[in-house]
Amino acid sequence: SDVTLCECFARDGLQHEPAFIPTATKRALVERFAAIGFPRVEATSYSNPKVVPQFSDARDLLRSLPRSPGVFYKATCANTKAVQRAIQDLDAGCGVNEISLLASATESHSLKNLKRSRAEQWANIEEMVQTAGGRFRLVGTVSVAFGCPFEGKVDSESVLHDVARFGSLGVQHVAIGDTTGVATPLSVKNLFREMRKSKAIIPIAHFHDSRGTGLVNC
């Protein structure tokens, strides 16, 4: 009961597939994850369809998706326009009840992944929180928190500053992303020990198994 698992494959896994996955296949995956017992399921992303065509069917998927009681269904939002799309679907009765807000721990990754500097993205996040208007459970995500493919090792103090910044915006759930799978049990333990000192946030881990350490890090 101390650990809540979120299944992210329908978004984080499928976004890298070059061929478009049929909406019905995605829906079946999300339904199955909920049926297995995951209390949080990342269902889709409100990415720009021109940039990530895999999720051009976000609304169609959500409109056709039956919901299991007690399950939070999440969508990733990279900008204010994405949050506005989430609100439109919520008003239409088919929206998600949880959205992710993304920040990168390094300048290089922010420019590459989000097409914005860190300063620009944090201003964007503030606007996204205001736009959401308390209608969703917000999850702040700090990407490349343990290591950046462009800048190498990431300073944990910088990551903790980002965590605190999410908390100051009223984002209670904050995920630390091991985006490239370089975290170790010791680095995880040390970072989460510091995160848990804050009463303003609920710490979340987002691990990858690139080097076979995903489970042991959990």
Side-chain angles (χ1 to χ4, degrees), residues 72-73 83-99 128-139 170:
F72 276 83
Y73 294 87
V83 176
Q84 291 170 342
R85 290 174 60 193
I87 291 173
Q88 289 173 357
D89 285 348
L90 196 64
D91 289 340
C94 63
V96 295
N97 46 9
E98 181 176 294
I99 59 176
M128 292 165 70
V129 172
Q130 293 174 359
T131 301
R135 301 188 64 187
F136 306 91
R137 182 160 77 178
L138 302 179
V139 179

Side-chain angles (χ1 to χ4, degrees), residues 102-155:
L102 306 177
S104 291
T106 68
E107 191 73 23
S108 299
H109 187 266
S110 186
L111 292 170
K112 181 71 173 179
N113 192 51
L114 299 170
K115 313 302 180 187
R116 293 183 181 86
S117 67
R118 274 175 46 83
E120 290 169 334
Q121 182 60 8
W122 274 108
N124 189 40
I125 289 171
E126 291 181 19
E127 184 177 348
M128 292 165 70
V129 172
Q130 293 174 359
T131 301
R135 301 188 64 187
F136 306 91
R137 182 160 77 178
L138 302 179
V139 179
T141 299
V142 183
S143 300
V144 295
F146 294 94
C148 174
F150 311 109
E151 298 185 23
K153 187 176 180 180
V154 175
D155 180 18

Side-chain angles (χ1 to χ4, degrees), residues 58 168 208 217:
S168 70
H208 286 239
N217 284 335

